[in-house]
Amino acid sequence: PIKELSVAGYFQWGEGALPGYNEATRKFAAQDTNLYVSMNRFGGGVAYKSAKAFARAEYIAGKTGDLNSQGFYVAGGYEFLKGLSLVARYDFFDDDTDNSDYSEQDITVGLDYNPVKPIDLKLNYTFENNKGRDNRNGIYFMVTVKYW
């Protein structure tokens, strides 16, 4: 075994309400419907974390009613100064693999700063490359305070 490496796998087999979904058009809309459908998922991931660097990847696929979907991400980071890390992430999601009208790819780069143990500051730039919708981008700032 490698101490810094972890591997995971998972699945979900169930049912639930799918608000606003129209089976005929295969689209979601602001309407008052609660279609009860099967919701099955599976996926897996791998992560590596050392004292100064990390790398992660995860894949998920599923079927919600008659919709097949899939997605994955890869992320990594390196602490180049005490408490300050450069991070990057790539995400892909296709909510209906049988219909090529829509998918989303996000590219994120940013800085994580941990000035003292319970406080984490994140500054990220994300570009959303959307098929079937307008592309977007944004700068995001987040503060996290951990408590035990």
Side-chain angles (χ1 to χ4, degrees):
I2 301 170
K3 181 180 159 184
E4 298 88 0
L5 184 68
S6 58
V7 178
Y10 48 86
F11 73 94
Q12 169 193 328
W13 182 52
E15 298 176 330
L18 192 59
Y21 181 67
N22 183 319
E23 277 187 300
T25 64
R26 298 176 62 95
K27 302 275 185 216
F28 288 91
Q31 58 192 20
D32 190 22
T33 63
N34 276 325
L35 185 64
Y36 200 75
V37 298
S38 64
M39 295 181 172
N40 302 318
R41 314 270 185 277
F42 71 90
V46 62
Y48 176 83
K49 182 165 174 47
S50 70
K52 293 236 176 232
F54 78 91
R56 280 192 306 265
E58 186 174 352
Y59 173 80
I60 188 169
K63 186 169 180 117
T64 304
D66 61 350
L67 289 174
N68 292 301
S69 59
Q70 70 175 349
F72 71 91
Y73 78 87
V74 292
Y78 181 76
E79 183 180 22
F80 61 93
L81 292 174
K82 175 101 174 119
L84 186 61
S85 299
L86 179 64
V87 296
R89 179 175 167 129
Y90 174 81
D91 295 271
F92 173 83
F93 181 66
D94 185 346
D95 70 343
D96 186 358
T97 60
D98 299 324
N99 181 350
S100 62
D101 289 345
Y102 171 77
S103 66
E104 181 175 325
Q105 299 176 62
D106 296 346
I107 300 167
T108 301
V109 292
L111 294 171
D112 285 2
Y113 180 53
N114 185 231
V116 291
K117 187 156 179 107
I119 298 174
D120 194 19
L121 308 172
K122 298 179 184 293
L123 179 65
N124 291 325
Y125 168 76
T126 300
F127 173 70
E128 293 180 18
N129 183 16
N130 297 308
K131 182 177 180 184
R133 294 186 312 172
D134 291 339
N135 293 337
R136 300 185 304 185
N137 60 62
I139 297 174
Y140 304 94
F141 179 70
M142 182 171 72
V143 177
T144 304
V145 179
K146 303 170 195 160
Y147 60 93
W148 321 216

